[in-house]
């Protein structure tokens, strides 16, 4: 294969990309926009791969696809295997929550099969979902995008070069434009898919490819100094330090493109070129792949062990360790294995690489499952992790799930009895389902749950999710209003502390109560419960018990607006009662995650079914009406 000239400035740009990502993951308040480093990597990858392939075509009239795949295997696979293996072993010792080690094993398998992005799309509510901080292989989603691009791009490029050799640039530009429009549309209806899927990211990779395919006079350096300078400021200064929302990705692509275009067209870029070629930039650029692989597992496992206690200094030390591991990996693994072996044919290497991927993927799952079995399925950790309603996955709706105009079968507390009780709200309502079930049982009637992810019981409320999910939340609440017409008791539950300070939310709740109050004999509102720093399952064997409690006074301060708001509603509606759970879930000074040997939550904030049942027993004790409640307090 013909070689293209090494441009150290590209390694300098890689340094900007990897330091932005590491900085964002370790110090998100300092570098809130650093996540765009991944987008810079995409543009670089598109440029490098297209430059190599087009140079080979121009020189030989052919593209050796098997040689290309063999190069990708040597470049990517060794370090990927090393990091995944180390992460799996470390997770087996450090992760305590039920399902956590199995999740690492499955994400490892998906990543080894070039589908990490698809796995995380299916398993998370989004890359920025708080739960993702505990997924030590989450960062491999981007590798999945690149691997899928590498798999298809040379085949695609060969076909275009053969059939329309004079229109390659135009054809790629058209595909990039289509991908951009597709990504824009998908971001409205399914932002999670738009984030993770390769077709929605293709325009970034193709942007780098277009620069590699561009031709022009290389003797006009002055305008390129300005282009390179603007690009450098965008990717190295503006984007990492500012959170620009949806504009960040296009700006990162443009900024990286400006720098790559300048590098592609000129051998000297003045101060910008000197900076990118400097020793610190080259150092981080050369180890960028290994550093990207190592840094996130270290940070994620530390957060899993010590939530909200990984200080600035600790995170800085972890990043330093990641740099050391990356340097050693570059010297001992990446560099020695990057060059082809004259004794190993490309096709043989490809076959061995693919076979090894499948074998290691299988081994990852088997290893993780074995570790989980050894930890004991009936252990306290396992029991607490599973302490949620049995019908959770059958009857509770995901945020993107279509609203069904009728109740699903098997989602009533007592089949055959009239439904006179319902609990309505988001996932908090799902968690409090046992209370509704207990109330219905006392009245010898049935209860149903009307619960949906991130959808509080507020009619016409914008839940701040993407277009499709917000619309389906509104449709769901309209359905719930109709279900409430024939009820005796309606229980409302939601993440009150998340929404209470939004004027629109309180207005929508007032409208909801006003709508149902004339039709329902009793309206019960379950008050907020603490949001723990650590999940209850992990607290069973947590080395620092203080991490498993929150300050009662701080919680009361945050809950006061909810209590005041409900008191105002009670003045307007005599049939509304506030259920105050704080005395059950908190002591005088602290609100723990574990009480009397059982978990109060199945994670960090959803009330466990055991806690909901025991609270119900105390709530209904000695009550002739079927329920009692404490008055709201400041």
């Amino acid at each position: 294969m013909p070689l293209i000239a090494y441009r150290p400035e590209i390694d300098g740009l890689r340094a900007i990309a990897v330091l932005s990502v590491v900085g964002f993951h370790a110090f998100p308040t300092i570098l809130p926009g650093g996540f765009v480093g991944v987008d810079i990597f995409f543009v670089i990858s598109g440029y490098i791969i297209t430059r190599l392939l087009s140079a080979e075509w121009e020189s030989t009239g052919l593209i050796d696809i098997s040689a290309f795949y063999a190069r990708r295997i040597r470049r990517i696979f060794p370090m990927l295997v090393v990091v995944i293996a180390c992460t799996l072993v470390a997770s087996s010792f450090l992760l305590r929550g039920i399902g956590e080690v199995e999740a690492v094993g499955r994400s490892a398998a998906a990543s080894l099969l070039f589908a990490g992005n698809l796995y995380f799309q299916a398993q998370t509510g989004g890359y920025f979902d708080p739960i993702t901080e505990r997924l030590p292989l989450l960062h491999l989603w981007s590798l999945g995008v690149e691997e899928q691009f590498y798999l298809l791009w040379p085949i695609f490029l060969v076909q275009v070069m053969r059939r329309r050799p004079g229109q390659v640039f135009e054809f790629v530009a058209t595909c990039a434009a289509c991908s951009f429009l597709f990504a824009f549309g998908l971001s409205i209806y399914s932002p999670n898919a738009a984030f993770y899927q390769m077709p929605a990211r293709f325009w970034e990779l193709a942007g780098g490819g277009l620069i590699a395919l561009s031709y022009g006079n290389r003797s006009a350096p002055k305008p390129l100094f300005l282009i390179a300078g603007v690009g450098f400021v965008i990717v190295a200064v503006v984007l990492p330090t500012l959170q620009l929302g949806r504009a960040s990705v296009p700006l990162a692509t443009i900024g990286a493109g400006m720098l790559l275009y300048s590098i592609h067209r000129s051998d000297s870029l003045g101060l910008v070129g000197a900076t990118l070629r400097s020793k610190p930039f080259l150092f981080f650029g050369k180890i960028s792949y290994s550093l990207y692989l190592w840094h996130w597992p270290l940070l994620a496992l530390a957060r899993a062990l010590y939530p909200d206690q990984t200080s600035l200094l600790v995170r800085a030390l972890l990043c330093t360790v990641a740099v050391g591991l990356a340097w050693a990996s570059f010297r001992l693994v990446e560099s020695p294995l990057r060059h082809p072996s004259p004794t190993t044919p490309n096709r043989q290497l490809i076959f061995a690489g693919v076979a090894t991927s499948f074998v290691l993927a299988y081994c990852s799952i088997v290893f993780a499952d074995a570790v989980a079995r050894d930890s004991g399925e009936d252990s306290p950790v396992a029991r607490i992790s599973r302490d949620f309603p049995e019908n959770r996955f059958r009857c509770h709706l995901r945020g993107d799930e279509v609203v069904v105009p009728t109740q699903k079968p098997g989602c009533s507390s007592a089949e055959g009895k009239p439904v006179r009780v319902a609990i309505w709200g988001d996932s908090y309502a799902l968690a409090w389902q046992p209370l509704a079930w207990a109330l219905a049982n006392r009245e010898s009637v049935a209860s149903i749950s009307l619960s949906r992810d991130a959808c509080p019981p507020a009619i016409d409320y914008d839940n701040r999710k993407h277009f499709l999910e917000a619309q389906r939340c509104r449709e769901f609440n309209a359905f719930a209003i109709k279900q409430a017409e024939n009820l005796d008791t309606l229980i409302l539950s939601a993440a009150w502390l998340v929404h209470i300070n939004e004027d629109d939310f309180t207005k929508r709740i007032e409208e909801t109560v006003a709508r149902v109050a004339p039709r329902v004999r009793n309206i019960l509102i379950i008050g907020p419960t603490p949001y723990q720093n650590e999940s209850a399952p992990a607290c069973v064997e947590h080395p620092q018990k203080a991490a498993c409690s929150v300050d009662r006074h701080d919680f009361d301060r945050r809950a006061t607006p909810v209590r005041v708001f409900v008191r105002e509603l009670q003045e307007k509606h005599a049939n509304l009662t506030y259920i105050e759970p704080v005395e059950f879930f908190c002591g005088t000074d602290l609100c723990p995650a574990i009480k009397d040997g059982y978990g109060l939550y199945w994670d960090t904030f959803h009330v466990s079914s055991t806690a909901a049942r025991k609270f119900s027993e105390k709530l209904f004790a000695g009550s002739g009406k079927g329920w009692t409640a404490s008055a709201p307090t400041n």
Side-chain angles (χ1 to χ4, degrees):
M1 184 201 75
L3 295 176
I4 61 173
Y6 167 68
R7 296 302 304 272
E9 297 89 347
I10 294 178
D11 273 335
L13 184 54
R14 285 193 179 104
I16 294 174
V18 75
L19 292 176
S20 295
V21 174
V22 173
F24 168 71
H25 287 155
F27 316 108
T29 57
I30 300 174
L31 296 173
F35 60 88
V36 297
V38 172
D39 303 284
I40 297 172
F41 274 127
F42 287 156
V43 180
I44 296 172
S45 294
Y47 173 80
I48 292 293
I49 296 306
T50 307
R51 185 79 181 92
L52 289 168
L53 293 173
S54 61
E56 184 178 0
W57 179 267
E58 292 168 10
S59 176
T60 65
L62 298 170
I63 291 179
D64 188 341
I65 294 179
S66 63
F68 172 82
Y69 289 152
R71 289 195 301 272
R72 292 297 90 200
I73 289 173
R74 287 191 298 268
R75 177 73 176 93
I76 294 173
F77 198 64
M79 272 310 305
L80 179 64
V81 171
V82 169
V83 171
I84 285 178
C86 291
T87 303
L88 264 174
V89 172
S91 298
S92 69
F93 287 102
L94 302 177
L95 295 183
R96 295 176 296 275
I98 187 70
E100 289 188 326
V101 177
E102 296 100 314
V104 175
R106 281 156 179 73
S107 64
S111 300
L112 288 165
L113 298 176
F114 322 121
N117 55 328
L118 303 180
Y119 173 85
F120 289 114
Q121 179 193 336
Q123 297 298 319
T124 69
Y127 179 77
F128 301 99
D129 192 322
I131 195 174
T132 59
E133 291 189 350
R134 298 174 64 97
L135 303 176
L137 296 178
L138 174 70
H139 62 319
L140 298 185
W141 75 268
S142 63
L143 210 57
V145 171
E146 293 205 13
E147 287 164 341
Q148 291 157 22
F149 172 75
Y150 297 152
L151 184 65
L152 299 175
W153 188 235
I155 299 172
F156 168 80
L157 208 57
V158 166
Q159 296 303 316
V160 177
M161 287 176 170
R162 284 177 180 171
R163 298 182 182 187
R164 298 189 179 184
Q167 298 178 323
V168 177
F169 184 91
E170 291 78 3
F171 198 86
V172 174
T174 301
C175 291
C178 291
S179 170
F180 180 81
L181 294 175
F182 173 72
F184 180 78
L186 197 61
S187 68
I188 297 175
Y189 290 95
S190 182
N192 207 23
F195 184 93
Y196 283 115
Q197 290 190 11
M198 190 276 285
R201 295 285 189 168
F202 174 79
W203 65 275
E204 300 175 64
L205 294 147
L210 289 173
I211 296 170
L213 294 170
S214 65
Y215 298 93
N217 182 11
R218 291 173 58 84
S219 61
K222 290 185 179 179
L224 295 178
F225 290 167
L226 178 60
I227 294 172
V230 173
F232 184 89
V233 170
I234 289 174
V235 300
V237 180
V238 175
L239 287 175
T241 57
L242 300 177
Q243 174 55 274
L244 301 178
R246 291 187 176 183
S248 295
V249 174
L251 273 177
T253 305
I254 292 170
M258 293 173 75
L259 270 172
L260 281 173
Y261 178 76
S262 304
I263 295 168
H264 182 69
R265 294 283 302 275
S266 176
D267 296 323
S268 176
L269 297 174
L271 180 60
V272 170
T275 302
L276 294 175
R277 292 190 300 269
S278 64
K279 288 184 178 180
F281 276 75
L282 290 181
F283 172 77
F284 284 104
K286 289 181 182 296
I287 68 168
S288 58
Y289 177 55
S290 289
L291 179 56
Y292 182 79
L293 291 180
W294 280 117
H295 84 282
W296 179 252
L298 292 174
L299 292 170
L301 291 173
R303 289 189 180 106
L305 281 175
Y306 304 102
D308 293 343
Q309 296 187 44
T310 50
S311 65
L312 195 71
L313 177 60
V314 170
R315 282 175 274 149
L317 289 173
L318 289 171
C319 290
T320 304
V321 172
V323 171
L325 289 172
W327 177 82
S329 300
F330 176 76
R331 295 292 299 272
L332 301 176
V333 181
E334 281 194 74
S335 294
L337 299 178
R338 180 178 296 185
H339 304 291
S341 169
T343 61
T344 306
N346 290 328
R347 292 182 184 276
Q348 183 176 331
L349 178 62
I350 294 169
F351 176 80
V354 172
T356 303
S357 293
F358 278 93
V359 171
L360 292 179
Y362 175 76
C363 291
S364 297
I365 295 175
V366 170
F367 173 79
D369 288 348
V371 170
R373 283 195 297 273
D374 289 343
S375 65
E377 293 184 0
D378 293 325
S379 66
V381 173
R383 289 197 299 272
I384 293 172
S385 297
R386 294 193 299 263
D387 198 2
F388 46 72
E390 293 181 359
N391 63 7
R392 172 186 176 185
F393 299 108
R394 185 175 70 256
C395 302
H396 176 72
L397 298 178
R398 301 187 312 272
D400 60 349
E401 198 167 346
V402 176
V403 178
V404 180
T406 57
Q407 273 290 317
K408 293 181 180 179
C411 293
S412 169
S413 65
E415 296 296 333
K417 290 185 178 181
V419 176
R420 308 300 297 169
V421 178
I423 185 166
W424 172 19
D426 52 23
S427 57
Y428 281 74
L430 163 70
W432 277 110
Q433 184 189 97
L435 185 149
W437 263 221
L439 175 58
N441 184 58
R442 287 174 60 88
E443 301 291 333
S444 297
V445 296
S447 176
I448 58 172
S449 294
L450 303 167
S451 61
R452 184 184 189 90
D453 282 341
C455 188
I459 55 174
D460 294 328
Y461 175 63
D462 180 2
N463 66 354
R464 307 300 191 265
K465 297 294 182 178
H466 63 84
F467 173 81
L468 185 63
E469 192 168 326
Q471 178 60 29
R472 287 182 174 168
C473 176
R474 288 189 285 266
E475 293 172 359
F476 173 76
N477 283 335
F479 166 72
I481 282 283
K482 292 181 180 179
Q483 297 294 305
E485 292 179 355
N486 299 315
L487 297 176
D488 289 332
T489 302
L490 178 64
I491 306 170
L492 304 181
S493 180
W496 304 113
L497 300 182
V498 174
H499 304 285
I500 192 61
N501 293 319
E502 301 173 8
D503 290 339
D504 184 53
F505 175 74
T506 54
K507 291 177 183 177
R508 298 302 181 187
I509 290 292
E510 288 177 2
E511 292 180 13
T512 299
V513 173
R515 286 275 298 274
V516 300
R519 300 177 174 86
V520 178
R521 189 177 66 195
N522 302 309
I523 303 173
L524 310 181
I525 291 182
I526 304 176
T529 50
Y531 192 117
Q532 296 293 320
N533 295 324
E534 175 59 289
S535 68
C539 285
V540 174
E541 300 173 351
H542 203 287
Q544 294 189 358
K545 295 299 182 183
C548 295
S549 299
V550 297
D551 183 80
R552 162 73 184 269
H553 306 290
D554 180 64
F555 168 69
D556 281 335
R557 177 183 57 79
R558 297 179 61 217
T560 293
V562 180
R563 297 164 179 162
V564 172
F565 170 67
V566 177
R567 177 184 291 128
E568 294 172 352
L569 281 178
Q570 285 181 300
E571 292 174 356
K572 300 176 183 178
H573 304 284
N575 59 341
L576 187 151
T577 300
Y578 178 81
I579 298 178
E580 176 58 78
V582 67
E583 297 302 332
F584 179 85
F585 286 87
C586 297
T588 304
D589 298 313
L590 295 175
C591 301
I594 306 291
K595 177 181 179 180
D596 299 333
Y598 65 90
L600 291 174
Y601 313 89
W602 82 64
D603 52 14
T604 55
F605 54 90
H606 290 104
V607 170
S608 70
S609 290
T610 299
R613 284 192 294 268
K614 290 184 177 295
F615 175 79
S616 302
E617 293 170 2
K618 291 183 177 294
L619 185 68
F620 300 146
S623 170
K625 295 180 63 177
W627 45 263
T628 60
S630 60
T633 58
N634 288 333

